[in-house]
Amino acid sequence: MVIEVSERNRGRAMRYLYGHSIGNDISSLDPTHIKVAYLGSGWVNFIRNPMAIQKIIVQPNPPTDPKALCQIANIIGWDRIRLMNNIHAKVYIHLNADNSGEAVVGSPNLSQNGLGGGLYEAAIAFDFSSSEEGGVELMQGFNDAWEMAGSEYPTQQDKLAKIASLQEDFESWKEHNHPTHQARGNLDCENNFPLLCWYSPGRDWKVAEEAKLHLPTELEGFSLEEAIEHSIDIESEADRIFFSNQIGRWVIIFRKHRGGPNPQLGRIYGVIEKAFYYTDDPKSVLGSALIEYDDEAAPFDAEEKIFRNEFKRLAFDRRYSDIFSENYEFYWSDERIQLMKSFCLELRQCGVL
């Protein structure tokens, strides 16, 4: 397929997307036409304007969530939704009034796993024009599927009957693939929940010469990367004061990267006045609270698959985006602490804390 674009869009005609960057593109796309195999409850995190959806085709079999289907139907109406049993395509289109537009085509379904980085997906984003062969083929393919889906479940009653049977199948699938875990109850997630702290991999860090004098002996023999993994940023006096009262508290610390967080559990045991700085801003000397890892006394297993899956799911939830952003006056503000509390309470509800 050869796609030519206007001068305005030249240079971004075709882009390769991967990981949770796909979700960002879908969110900004405001799709009008959607064709996916599976729909999950996480769709709300990626469709900013559901009313923009003119047509959506979904396979009505697990792991499609029947509640998610009904959510969308309550917003846009069943006439804009069609069900198709054997569909496996994943296509997101924003169609303009002149039949030009943008599209994302690839492997991700409209779910948290598909678009939020839970699964490592790939896709191609491109612009198209009504006068280009590629754009004509794209819309023809969508319309053909729309007609086929219309013959499978032609009426709203047909769709509702299928949703009713899907509900039972979905519950059975969920129990088999995501068995319910009881909350462990050995953490006070209301008053003494684990704090959350991330750092980005691949940054060029150095140890300031003057800061070396302040590093504890526990860091001797560590590489700089390992030292950072065993520490928490303290970027202001307010942060330092906060941490002076947190000795012994549990912390979930993790790398922030495209494939999703990689959480580890640790405990705060000391505060360092000065430690590291970014090489692109050598005047920015950061303090650090050192983390002690203690697997034997850990209240939960951060390596457990169900914990890591639930943690990753919430990490890509827009409700908690401020925890992971770099837009803050000081990191350990009351607002962020309250978000961390909500985050951990939700992990408790999932049965992994």
Side-chain angles (χ1 to χ4, degrees):
M1 180 189 339
V2 177
I3 299 179
E4 298 178 357
V5 294
S6 65
E7 200 62 38
R8 179 178 66 85
N9 288 326
R10 192 168 300 283
R12 60 182 296 273
M14 186 171 290
R15 292 167 292 127
Y16 176 71
L17 309 176
Y18 55 92
H20 73 273
S21 67
I22 307 175
N24 296 335
D25 267 73
I26 297 300
S27 181
S28 61
L29 182 66
D30 269 352
T32 58
H33 294 67
I34 300 173
K35 180 168 55 174
V36 291
Y38 303 123
L39 173 71
S41 60
W43 74 269
V44 295
N45 297 319
F46 307 101
I47 303 299
R48 298 184 305 182
N49 180 20
M51 284 302 295
I53 301 174
Q54 298 174 21
K55 297 178 179 179
I56 178 171
I57 309 170
V58 179
Q59 180 180 160
N61 300 303
T64 288
D65 187 337
K67 291 181 180 178
L69 266 172
C70 292
Q71 277 182 323
I72 295 182
N74 288 336
I75 298 172
I76 68 175
W78 282 106
D79 58 324
R80 298 196 209 174
I81 300 174
R82 290 192 177 178
L83 309 179
M84 185 175 180
N85 283 321
N86 66 346
I87 192 169
H88 199 256
K90 293 91 177 178
V91 179
Y92 304 83
I93 304 168
H94 179 90
L95 188 66
N96 297 318
D98 64 356
N99 289 324
S100 67
E102 301 172 82
V104 174
V105 179
S107 65
N109 283 301
L110 184 48
S111 65
Q112 190 66 39
N113 268 343
L115 297 178
L119 297 173
Y120 193 90
E121 308 278 8
I124 296 294
F126 58 89
D127 302 324
F128 63 89
S129 165
S130 60
S131 63
E132 294 162 1
E133 185 178 356
V136 172
E137 291 173 343
L138 177 71
M139 293 313 303
Q140 181 179 333
F142 186 95
N143 292 330
D144 284 350
W146 182 257
E147 292 303 317
M148 291 171 64
S151 65
E152 287 193 48
Y153 300 94
T155 69
Q156 180 174 332
Q157 288 71 26
D158 294 327
K159 296 172 189 176
L160 292 175
K162 179 59 180 178
I163 297 302
S165 66
L166 171 60
Q167 181 65 51
E168 184 176 344
D169 293 341
F170 178 74
E171 292 300 327
S172 176
W173 172 88
K174 187 168 63 171
E175 182 59 32
H176 177 74
N177 291 277
H178 303 281
T180 302
H181 284 234
Q182 295 298 318
R184 303 177 188 192
N186 56 351
L187 268 180
D188 182 359
C189 289
E190 185 66 39
N191 303 302
N192 193 27
F193 49 89
L195 299 170
L196 305 175
C197 183
W198 60 264
Y199 71 96
S200 296
R203 279 181 169 166
D204 192 7
W205 292 77
K206 287 185 179 179
V207 179
E209 290 299 322
E210 64 273 20
K212 287 182 180 178
L213 300 175
H214 299 273
L215 293 178
T217 56
E218 286 80 4
L219 282 180
E220 291 181 2
F222 277 59
S223 68
L224 180 58
E225 189 77 3
E226 290 171 329
I228 295 169
E229 286 191 42
H230 283 69
S231 61
I232 292 178
D233 292 349
I234 298 179
E235 304 194 26
S236 68
E237 179 64 14
D239 286 342
R240 191 191 66 77
I241 293 172
F242 171 80
F243 265 99
S244 66
N245 298 315
Q246 306 302 319
I247 306 302
R249 187 162 184 171
W250 290 101
V251 179
I252 302 172
I253 189 168
F254 53 91
R255 290 184 174 218
K256 179 185 176 185
H257 58 88
R258 293 190 181 95
N262 184 24
Q264 292 180 301
L265 187 66
R267 215 159 36 180
I268 301 166
Y269 84 86
V271 178
I272 307 166
E273 291 296 328
K274 294 180 180 179
F276 311 111
Y277 69 87
Y278 296 110
T279 56
D280 59 357
D281 185 10
K283 294 181 181 179
S284 177
V285 179
L286 308 181
S288 182
L290 200 64
I291 295 297
E292 175 187 30
Y293 293 98
D294 187 352
D295 293 334
E296 291 185 5
F300 61 90
D301 183 5
E303 297 296 321
E304 190 177 44
K305 183 177 180 180
I306 189 171
F307 171 82
R308 299 175 83 83
N309 287 344
E310 292 298 334
F311 188 93
K312 183 182 292 187
R313 178 181 66 82
L314 290 178
F316 287 115
D317 192 314
R318 286 186 179 180
R319 292 173 298 158
Y320 300 114
S321 59
D322 283 350
I323 296 177
F324 305 90
S325 84
E326 298 186 39
N327 182 23
Y328 49 80
E329 183 176 353
F330 60 96
Y331 190 90
W332 302 99
S333 64
D334 290 343
E335 292 79 8
R336 281 175 173 254
I337 297 299
Q338 286 303 311
L339 275 178
M340 293 177 194
K341 177 180 178 179
S342 297
F343 189 100
C344 290
L345 284 171
E346 194 157 346
L347 284 176
R348 164 62 60 83
Q349 292 172 358
C350 296
V352 298
L353 287 187

